[in-house]
Amino acid sequence: MLRFARGLCSRLRRRGRALAAAAPSAPNDGRLGEGIAHRTVFVNGINMHVSEKGDGPVVLLLLHGFPELWYTWRHQMHRLAALGYRAVAPDLRGFGDTEVPADPRDYSIFHIVGDLIELIDKLGQDQVFVVGHDWGSMVAWNLSMFRPDKVRAMVNLSQAFTPRSPSRKSLEYLRSAFGDDYYICRFQEPGKIEAEFASYGTAWVLKKFLTYRNPGPFYITKDQGWSLPSEIPLPSWLSEFDIDYYSNKYEKTGFTGGLNYYRALDLNWNLTAPWTNARINVPVKFIVGDLDLTYHAPGAQDFIHKGGLKNFVPSLKEVVVMEGVGHFINEEKPDEISEHISDFIKSF
């Protein structure tokens, strides 16, 4: 009987290990990134999920965009940790395993930057290097504008700094430039786009966003919605496992947290009035793909290449335009982005 009980316990342990290894959301599944540690940190009134790899003295804070998670940085975390850095990638407020406040007003840029300031303190750091993509870049620009003392240097991907226009609110400009079917304009009515996304299915919506490579504006038409092909082919850098990981998280929390960042655009326009014409005074490297829709926004290339960006970011050290690369640049070209990051920060 004792031998049987020991054998049963052994079989149960083996089965438990097998089930844990098969679970798509297991933190240390080899495909997610073996050796990446996960913990929850209480910052600025919310519980924030943080992933970390490496134990070097130099901390890189990696900030994701929409509809991404910490997971978008998994490749860079491995590479940078191997080079002796400590890579830290949180799920931002409203995303993934971080808390999702219900009130849209809790997604102001002050709240989001406040989360990061306290996170930096909880990491035991006075300053960090910051790397951002998409919304993460916008947050990084603002973190550097509000608290330059916290940022040693910064690498931003896809989203160039956008100076505040004192004469026109953000949504007013977007509607005048692109119309009401532009994706950011369609995101504004709470519950409306969430219901449409639910009708399409979480995985399909994620594939639609993550595979978008048209450098033109992104539209979600009200009358026809999106066409629904039976399959959306995935590029070589995006696997069904990746989609499953993202889907599991978004099915748990929904898209509302991420959408509230867009819904706070005009609120942020009001809040940041004192920073009109402010400049970013930390060293910066900016990287964008030449197929990125942000790079083809009206006036963007002139602003980036003809002195506008340098005017507002006086310590801009380098602008890199990667040929044949779309918006999700850190996943599409993970090795190249890791090299750009490490080459930049090692000079400090």
Side-chain angles (χ1 to χ4, degrees):
M1 180 65 71
L2 180 60
R3 188 161 52 245
F4 172 77
R6 286 173 174 167
L8 178 60
C9 289
S10 178
R11 288 193 297 275
L12 287 173
R13 283 195 298 270
R14 288 196 299 272
R15 178 170 173 78
R17 286 194 295 268
L19 288 172
S25 59
N28 287 324
D29 186 299
R31 291 170 294 182
L32 292 181
E34 186 176 355
I36 294 179
H38 298 259
R39 63 184 172 120
T40 299
V41 180
F42 187 73
V43 296
N44 199 25
I46 64 168
N47 289 308
M48 173 174 277
H49 166 246
V50 177
S51 61
E52 299 174 272
K53 185 165 186 180
D55 46 13
V58 179
V59 174
L60 291 93
L61 190 60
L62 307 168
L63 308 177
H64 66 81
F66 177 87
E68 301 169 307
L69 304 167
W70 75 267
Y71 184 79
T72 192
W73 298 109
R74 62 201 180 279
H75 305 294
Q76 286 77 26
M77 294 180 77
H78 290 301
R79 180 73 175 272
L80 295 167
L83 293 173
Y85 301 110
R86 180 183 174 193
V88 180
D91 283 334
L92 294 177
R93 171 181 291 247
F95 287 92
D97 291 322
T98 291
E99 208 165 318
V100 184
D103 192 334
R105 292 172 297 182
D106 288 338
Y107 293 83
S108 78
I109 197 64
F110 289 171
H111 286 86
I112 299 161
V113 169
D115 297 344
L116 298 178
I117 291 170
E118 190 164 349
L119 175 61
I120 292 167
D121 291 341
K122 290 285 178 72
L123 293 171
Q125 303 296 310
D126 294 323
Q127 278 191 326
V128 295
F129 291 97
V130 178
V131 183
H133 173 252
D134 185 73
W135 256 108
S137 291
M138 296 176 72
V139 173
W141 291 120
N142 281 277
L143 170 62
S144 298
M145 186 166 63
F146 299 153
R147 292 296 303 273
D149 59 303
K150 291 293 185 182
V151 181
R152 191 171 180 187
M154 182 166 60
V155 179
N156 266 343
L157 314 178
S158 297
Q159 183 63 53
F161 178 67
T162 304
R164 179 186 182 276
S165 168
S167 60
R168 178 179 284 186
K169 289 187 176 182
S170 303
L171 290 175
E172 180 185 355
Y173 165 73
L174 292 172
R175 287 196 173 97
S176 68
F178 302 109
D180 289 337
D181 287 341
Y182 187 58
Y183 75 106
I184 295 176
C185 300
R186 291 278 279 117
F187 285 174
Q188 294 305 309
E189 185 179 344
K192 175 72 172 178
I193 200 68
E194 288 94 329
E196 291 187 28
F197 285 175
S199 71
Y200 297 134
T202 302
W204 192 91
V205 170
L206 288 165
K207 288 180 181 180
K208 189 73 171 177
F209 276 105
L210 293 171
T211 61
Y212 187 79
R213 286 179 64 81
N214 182 345
F218 187 67
Y219 291 103
I220 305 174
T221 56
K222 293 180 181 179
D223 53 345
Q224 296 178 345
W226 288 335
S227 58
L228 282 167
S230 57
E231 286 289 334
I232 297 179
L234 297 181
S236 59
W237 52 268
L238 185 66
S239 70
E240 290 290 348
F241 179 84
D242 300 332
I243 294 295
D244 286 345
Y245 183 81
Y246 284 121
S247 296
N248 287 338
K249 298 302 180 183
Y250 277 100
E251 284 173 0
K252 182 183 74 172
T253 63
F255 288 98
T256 298
L259 296 172
N260 280 340
Y261 283 62
Y262 299 92
R263 292 168 182 161
L265 283 171
D266 278 353
L267 171 61
N268 291 334
W269 183 87
N270 289 324
L271 292 174
T272 56
W275 287 270
T276 301
N277 295 320
R279 278 152 176 74
I280 306 298
N281 292 310
V282 303
V284 174
K285 182 175 187 173
F286 178 66
I287 309 171
V288 67
D290 68 349
L291 298 178
D292 194 321
L293 75 168
T294 66
Y295 189 58
H296 293 268
Q301 293 181 37
D302 283 349
F303 179 76
I304 291 169
H305 298 295
K306 295 185 178 180
L309 183 59
K310 180 69 172 177
N311 178 53
F312 281 95
V313 188
S315 295
L316 179 69
K317 302 300 183 184
E318 187 178 4
V319 172
V320 177
V321 180
M322 299 181 68
E323 294 185 7
V325 182
H327 181 67
F328 296 96
I329 190 169
N330 46 333
E331 295 204 73
E332 186 174 348
K333 296 293 181 181
D335 293 338
E336 291 90 332
I337 293 300
S338 296
E339 187 172 348
H340 277 300
I341 295 169
S342 61
D343 283 350
F344 183 62
I345 65 176
K346 70 184 180 185
S347 64
F348 294 92

